[in-house]
């Protein structure tokens, strides 16, 4: 007998979705552990002088750099995909509110002028970040694994690519006519998440995607653009873009 095949059992280490989910959990766990290690130097140890200043600087650098980069990448890859499905849209709204609070506290940390204020902001950030990452790993990731059209291994690779400083592949045209209806919208939102401000892609569909436009408005407000290039009767082409940042 020649050749071999790998047997994948759902929910075990042989399951690609399970492995990808574990990789995503490990990444968020590393971010939280690194933050808490640096925060402890500021909030728990009685450092003085240059040692205290150095600990403060390292914490601010991490929060402004790696932590903020992780939140941005997770929002582009994970939240944006889940925002495209009614079952997870409210969850994403809640996560983005918490994420906004995290980012505002990072800014507060950066602007703190005294060690006491830095310590206070660091403690607040610890609580917010812990809540956000716990919801991401315990609620969002299982929801994505069950969401039709969401490919968790692809999402894990996309997140890793962004964190490594790479760029995501950006297909100019997304033709969803052969994709089952229940799986289309997460794919489309995932494609939108890859856009930089001012970029766009063409969606090809076999019906007028007016319900999709309502979902985009609910998820992104005025941050997207929508322009019909072809309007039936058998094929619709819509250019969907991410609004450019004002100069």
């Amino acid at each position: 007998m020649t050749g071999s095949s790998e047997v994948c059992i759902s929910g075990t280490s042989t399951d690609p979705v399970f492995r990808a989910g574990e990789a995503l959990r490990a990444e968020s766990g590393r971010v939280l552990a690194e933050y808490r290690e640096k925060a402890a130097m500021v909030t728990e140890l009685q450092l003085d002088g240059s040692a205290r200043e150095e600990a403060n600087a390292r914490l601010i650098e991490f929060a402004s750099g790696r932590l903020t980069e992780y939140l941005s990448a997770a929002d582009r890859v994970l939240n944006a995909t889940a925002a495209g499905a009614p079952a997870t849209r409210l969850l994403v709204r809640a996560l983005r509110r918490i994420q906004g609070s995290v980012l505002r506290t990072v800014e507060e940390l950066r602007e703190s002028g005294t060690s006491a204020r830095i310590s206070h902001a660091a403690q607040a950030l610890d609580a917010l970040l812990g809540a956000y990452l716990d919801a991401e790993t315990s609620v969002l990731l299982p929801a994505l694994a069950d969401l039709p059209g969401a490919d968790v291994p692809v999402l894990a690779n996309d997140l890793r690519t962004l964190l490594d400083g790479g760029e995501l592949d950006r297909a100019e045209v997304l033709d969803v006519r052969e994709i089952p209806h229940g799986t289309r919208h997460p794919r489309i939102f995932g494609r939108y998440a890859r856009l930089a401000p001012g970029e766009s892609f063409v969606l090809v569909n076999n019906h007028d995607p007016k319900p999709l436009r309502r979902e985009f408005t609910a998820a992104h407000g005025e941050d997207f653009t929508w322009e019909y290039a072809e309007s039936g009767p058998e094929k619709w082409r819509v250019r969907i873009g991410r609004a450019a940042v004002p100069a």
Side-chain angles (χ1 to χ4, degrees):
M1 179 177 178
T2 60
S4 62
S5 61
E6 182 181 358
V7 177
C8 297
I9 302 175
S10 178
T12 72
S13 59
T14 63
D15 180 2
V17 174
F18 177 84
R19 292 200 301 266
E22 290 299 292
L24 290 168
R25 290 182 178 86
E27 188 64 48
S28 67
R30 282 192 291 271
V31 170
L32 184 59
E34 288 180 47
Y35 173 78
R36 286 181 168 167
E37 178 184 1
K38 290 175 174 57
M41 299 292 291
V42 169
T43 62
E44 298 177 14
L45 298 183
Q46 301 300 316
L47 301 177
D48 294 317
S50 61
R52 177 73 179 215
E53 292 178 1
E54 183 178 352
N56 290 344
R58 286 180 177 176
L59 177 63
I60 293 171
E61 179 183 15
F62 178 82
S64 303
R66 173 151 162 69
L67 171 56
T68 301
E69 290 166 1
Y70 174 83
L71 293 174
S72 175
D75 189 65
R76 283 187 64 187
V77 173
L78 305 179
N79 291 343
T81 300
T88 48
R89 188 176 300 127
L90 292 178
L91 169 61
V92 171
R93 288 181 185 175
L95 285 171
R96 283 176 166 163
R97 288 194 185 98
I98 302 173
Q99 188 182 85
S101 296
V102 171
L103 293 174
R104 286 191 294 272
T105 309
V106 169
E107 189 62 26
E108 179 184 338
L109 180 68
R110 293 178 58 189
E111 295 178 352
S112 297
T114 67
S115 292
R117 290 183 62 189
I118 289 175
S119 179
H120 176 77
Q123 292 173 346
L125 183 54
D126 181 281
L128 287 167
L129 180 62
Y132 177 82
L133 294 178
D134 179 64
E136 181 181 271
T137 56
S138 63
V139 184
L140 179 61
L141 292 184
L144 284 169
D146 291 336
L147 185 65
D151 191 325
V152 178
V154 170
L155 297 179
N157 288 335
D158 285 352
L159 183 68
R160 183 74 265 159
T161 296
L162 290 177
L163 293 177
D164 288 341
E167 293 291 335
L168 301 180
D169 293 334
R170 297 187 178 108
E172 171 67 18
V173 177
L174 176 61
D175 189 337
V176 299
R177 288 176 293 177
E178 300 301 321
I179 299 176
H181 282 273
T183 67
R184 290 180 181 182
H185 288 195
R187 296 273 188 95
I188 297 166
F189 274 81
R191 176 64 188 88
Y192 176 81
R194 294 168 176 243
L195 296 177
E199 292 184 337
S200 64
F201 69 97
V202 174
L203 170 68
V204 181
N205 207 345
N206 53 12
H207 67 271
D208 188 349
K210 290 187 292 185
L212 175 69
R213 186 172 189 172
R214 290 194 292 268
E215 291 188 5
F216 261 89
T217 300
H220 296 290
E222 300 299 321
D223 292 337
F224 75 99
T225 61
W226 183 282
E227 180 183 357
Y228 284 96
E230 185 175 350
S231 299
E234 296 182 355
K235 182 171 70 173
W236 276 257
R237 296 170 66 249
V238 182
R239 181 167 291 278
I240 301 172
R242 186 181 294 273
V245 176

